[in-house]
Amino acid sequence: MSISSETPAWRRPGEGVVARLSCLAVQPILTRIVRQIAVRHPSLFARLGAHQATDFLIDPQELPFALHLRPDPNALVLRAVPRDAAPRAGATIRGRFLLLLELIDAEQDGDAAFFSRDLEVSGDTEAVVRLRNALDDMDGSLAEETAAMFGRPGRAILARLRRSYLDDMRERDNT
């Protein structure tokens, strides 16, 4: 399944340009992150078994791009892609950025997010479950570890994102 077939026909003027420029800006950061995670957590990839070769499309709805992940330690891929140029994905995971961030660290219940329709999963659900189980079995916080790669600014950005998520959840609960 290709995400481009799911992209709404309406687009805001300049959206494609913004997406492509954003991809170029974040790619060096994504490359650094995925390489360091692979070195520090080889068991994360081993837990995926045959799904190391699965192409995951992780689509944070508020961002101007999606993320293409292929967790094959021999040909590791984590790249930002414009939605209209996304590769065919074996599994697609779509939700709000901060929800996806919380799911990485098992701070949110993925099943509850799925059944409340805050999280969309399509394609090979076994691959998604394997990825979730591999992340759940990690010791510590992958988000905090990633933030720490960028020192004090990284930790400050993560703290700000988490406060925003909590504020957003409180606002949603009050409406």
Side-chain angles (χ1 to χ4, degrees), residues 3 20 22 46 49 67 83 90-91 113 124-125 130 142 150 163:
I3 186 105
R20 282 166 175 69
S22 298
L67 300 170
R83 289 183 178 88
D124 187 343
T125 53
R130 284 269 189 134
L142 190 56
F150 302 94
R163 280 193 304 272

Side-chain angles (χ1 to χ4, degrees), residues 125-136:
T125 53
E126 180 185 333
V128 174
V129 170
R130 284 269 189 134
L131 180 61
R132 185 185 84 177
N133 290 343
L135 290 168
D136 285 349

Side-chain angles (χ1 to χ4, degrees), residues 41 43-44 47-48 103-106 129-141:
H41 301 284
S43 63
L44 172 68
R47 291 261 347 238
L48 294 171
L103 290 171
I104 286 172
D105 281 343
V129 170
R130 284 269 189 134
L131 180 61
R132 185 185 84 177
N133 290 343
L135 290 168
D136 285 349
D137 287 348
M138 285 187 58
D139 290 329
S141 164

